[in-house]
Amino acid sequence: MKISVASGKGGTGKTLVATSLALSLIKNNPSVQLLDCDVEEPNVHLFLDQEPINETTVSLPIPKINEDLCQHCGKCTEICRFNAITLLKDTILIFPDVCHSCSACWHFCPTGALEPSPREVGTVQISQSGKLKLITGRLNLGVHASPPVIKAVRGAIDTDTVTIIDGPPGSSCPVMAAVEETDYCILVTEPTPFGLNDLSLAVEMLKVLNVPCGVIINRDVPGNHLIDDYCQEKGLPILLRIPLDTEIARAYAKGIPLVKSSPVWTEKFIDLYQQVTQEVTK
């Protein structure tokens, strides 16, 4: 079972939900793995005591010029749709930050003057926290394309283990790389107009990916039906409500997962997992 946790809006409580769900499941499962795919700003490790196991680098091929072979024909600049290569008279300039590693330039270079060269874009770290396995992706500073690092994190999982994925915020390519081909996506939102707007974007994204989803309302307050009305209209289940509570916020700010600051939540997250399982098997 692979469950992704996402939200259209940042700061809504994805990591709070992902860590508490994983820590709750570990009580009844021989092993659970938690993936931190918010590779631009991973923070799951802040909530868990852990022992590092190993770390690998993630690299992408970018073009490297052989000046002895280059005839400055400009074919590479014509073929590059991302403007990662520029020809200035008899000089070729390559901009690694905008290169998408599509390989077109070295494939179409008529003289073979361009060849792929590895560029490190991030790392994947595997650590252990008790029975919980944590896989963390981290994008290097100055690198803009996070999906390759996210895919590397997902490529490190044990396919026979319950997997919880803490995805990045938003509804663009990085989120799609984190949630695609998961069995279910838990969308965490808050009962505000901004939360509703970004939730609706995330729901539409999941429709395209054909990933079923349900909603957790974080910082829920009595009498606010903004998210309830939307979920009812869209036929989305509300899986859990986490109240607006200063004690929860204080514990979270200290790096204490919800199920450890308030163990009563453990059973609620186990019930949440059972709801998701039922939704998947419908």
Side-chain angles (χ1 to χ4, degrees):
M1 172 77 81
K2 291 194 291 287
I3 301 174
S4 52
V5 181
S7 68
K9 178 179 176 298
T12 55
K14 283 186 301 83
T15 303
L16 179 147
V17 169
T19 53
S20 290
L21 178 58
L23 290 170
S24 299
L25 294 180
I26 204 70
K27 293 183 178 299
N28 299 323
N29 289 275
S31 61
V32 175
Q33 54 193 353
L34 176 57
L35 277 56
D36 193 345
C37 286
D38 191 357
V39 301
E40 293 185 47
E41 196 170 359
N43 63 348
V44 171
H45 62 283
L46 300 176
F47 298 88
L48 301 172
D49 295 327
Q50 59 199 288
E51 291 291 334
I53 297 176
N54 66 43
E55 182 173 298
T56 57
T57 60
V58 182
S59 298
L60 291 176
I62 63 169
K64 178 183 177 182
I65 186 74
N66 184 332
E67 296 289 354
D68 293 335
L69 296 178
C70 183
Q71 296 182 351
H72 309 105
C73 65
K75 187 67 177 179
C76 54
T77 63
E78 295 174 8
I79 202 70
C80 182
R81 58 184 294 193
F82 304 105
N83 298 316
I85 305 178
T86 295
L87 173 63
L88 298 177
K89 294 185 179 180
D90 57 353
T91 300
I92 291 287
L93 296 179
I94 299 173
F95 304 99
D97 288 342
V98 294
C99 176
H100 282 56
S101 302
C102 72
S103 78
C105 57
W106 57 77
H107 280 299
F108 285 93
C109 177
T111 63
L114 289 172
E115 59 183 14
S117 176
R119 181 196 185 205
E120 185 178 321
V121 295
T123 58
V124 174
Q125 183 185 67
I126 299 177
S127 58
Q128 198 75 31
S129 178
K131 293 189 295 182
L132 180 63
K133 181 179 180 181
L134 173 62
I135 307 176
T136 302
R138 184 169 283 105
L139 190 70
N140 284 357
L141 290 175
V143 177
H144 73 283
S146 60
V149 180
I150 293 172
K151 291 177 181 177
V153 174
R154 294 191 56 173
I157 67 171
D158 178 352
T159 55
D160 296 326
T161 302
V162 175
T163 301
I164 309 299
I165 300 175
D166 184 16
S171 54
S172 58
C173 294
V175 187
M176 297 174 76
V179 306
E180 65 181 348
E181 298 181 356
T182 56
D183 297 299
Y184 198 86
C185 182
I186 297 172
L187 289 172
V188 185
T189 188
E190 58 186 20
T192 66
F194 286 126
L196 175 59
N197 176 74
D198 292 343
L199 172 65
S200 65
L201 294 175
V203 169
E204 293 304 314
M205 173 199 68
L206 291 170
K207 282 183 181 178
V208 173
L209 297 176
N210 196 30
V211 175
C213 65
V215 174
I216 289 180
I217 304 177
N218 190 22
R219 304 187 192 103
D220 191 29
V221 291
N224 187 323
H225 303 292
L226 190 64
I227 303 300
D228 296 71
D229 292 345
Y230 171 79
C231 289
Q232 184 174 17
E233 177 188 342
K234 298 295 182 181
L236 297 173
I238 296 177
L239 304 167
L240 188 67
R241 298 173 186 272
I242 302 173
L244 179 63
D245 186 325
T246 53
E247 292 304 317
I248 293 176
R250 285 195 181 100
Y252 191 77
K254 294 177 181 177
I256 304 173
L258 176 57
V259 293
K260 290 193 174 181
S261 65
S262 182
V264 67
W265 283 93
T266 299
E267 287 303 319
K268 295 180 180 180
F269 276 95
I270 291 175
D271 289 344
L272 165 67
Y273 178 72
Q274 292 172 345
Q275 286 184 69
V276 170
T277 302
Q278 291 172 1
E279 289 285 328
V280 171
T281 56
K282 272 184 178 177

